[in-house]
Amino acid sequence: MKIIDDKLMNDLAEEAKKSPRLKKNCLECLETKPTKDIYLAGGCFWGTEHYFKQIKGVAITEVGFANGHTENPTYKEVYTDTTGFAETVFVRFYPDVVSLEFLLQMFFKAIDPTSLNKQGHDEGTRYRTGVYYTDPADLPIIEKVFAEEQKNYEQPLAVEKLPLQNFYTAEDYHQDYLDKNPDGYCHLPLSLFEFARKASH
């Protein structure tokens, strides 16, 4: 069994403090292989999370609220569009299985990147699209994918590209929502989930 050093154990403890739901997953990630994180806002987080869960190489997903200006917001508070938060999916992935570039390319297939504050029937600043990174070394890859996507549109992309300022986990009933409620609302077509399952890097 691989021995985890004190620093990694401390990191694990911090992860558990942020989200008890991640506690059992963090140890598994640390004991197996290196992971990276990215935060993706693609409209309603129920469908966006389910979409990324289908992609091989994604280790953990969690829905929450990113880059707002209040602390510990509730879903009801974010819904008012007064907190500045965007519904966002935290994605932890294995970079030796799936690359950040591929995940971002898949992200753009699940959004209308020219639509400001609106995806599907969902409208409001909480439904804005964005890519929020924690590692500055990821920025060149993000910018490359954005530049490639921009070539497909005459109008400018309405997708944010920013460092992650903050992220708060959403209430438990929002987590894995479409697994718990297979017939629940989703702004994404079912065919897109099948596409994600079959997609290969």
Side-chain angles (χ1 to χ4, degrees):
M1 177 179 294
K2 181 179 178 181
I3 297 175
I4 301 177
D5 62 24
D6 290 339
K7 181 179 183 303
L8 290 180
M9 287 302 293
N10 288 335
D11 290 343
L12 174 60
E14 288 303 313
E15 290 282 1
K17 288 178 185 176
K18 294 176 187 175
S19 171
R21 180 175 172 271
L22 292 181
K23 185 175 183 180
K24 66 178 182 179
N25 295 314
C26 291
L27 184 58
E28 179 182 349
C29 286
L30 290 171
E31 286 184 335
T32 54
K33 45 194 172 183
T35 59
K36 288 185 66 67
D37 299 340
I38 194 71
Y39 294 76
L40 303 170
C44 177
F45 52 24
W46 293 345
T48 304
E49 179 189 37
H50 196 68
Y51 174 68
F52 279 99
K53 286 178 66 175
Q54 312 308 311
I55 299 174
K56 182 180 179 182
V58 170
I60 299 170
T61 59
E62 184 171 61
V63 301
F65 314 111
N67 284 19
H69 51 71
T70 64
E71 292 186 0
N72 300 308
T74 65
Y75 179 76
K76 288 183 178 181
E77 290 170 344
V78 173
Y79 195 82
T80 65
D81 267 355
T82 60
T83 65
F85 283 98
E87 291 197 10
T88 300
V89 179
F90 160 68
V91 178
R92 173 162 292 167
F93 62 98
Y94 299 115
D96 60 342
V97 178
V98 62
S99 68
L100 175 60
E101 182 173 354
F102 181 76
L103 287 177
L104 294 178
Q105 290 168 346
M106 293 295 288
F107 169 70
F108 274 98
K109 295 183 186 302
I111 64 171
D112 177 351
T114 63
S115 179
L116 181 64
N117 300 329
K118 186 177 188 295
Q119 292 294 308
H121 297 295
D122 303 312
E123 190 167 2
T125 58
R126 64 193 179 279
Y127 296 122
R128 69 186 184 271
T129 54
V131 174
Y132 310 124
Y133 57 92
T134 56
D135 184 355
D138 291 335
L139 185 56
I141 297 172
I142 296 170
E143 290 181 331
K144 175 186 176 184
V145 175
F146 270 64
E148 290 173 347
E149 290 296 329
Q150 182 62 75
K151 295 176 183 177
N152 299 322
Y153 302 92
E154 292 183 0
Q155 58 268 61
L157 300 183
V159 185
E160 292 184 330
K161 176 181 55 181
L162 298 167
L164 183 75
Q165 297 173 0
N166 48 32
F167 179 82
Y168 294 95
T169 304
E171 295 89 337
D172 189 62
Y173 72 91
H174 290 294
Q175 308 299 332
D176 305 311
Y177 183 83
L178 290 178
D179 287 334
K180 302 171 185 173
N181 305 276
D183 297 323
Y185 169 78
C186 181
H187 71 291
L188 298 177
L190 295 179
S191 59
L192 201 59
F193 301 141
E194 182 65 19
F195 169 75
R197 279 191 289 272
K198 294 180 178 179
S200 59
H201 182 210

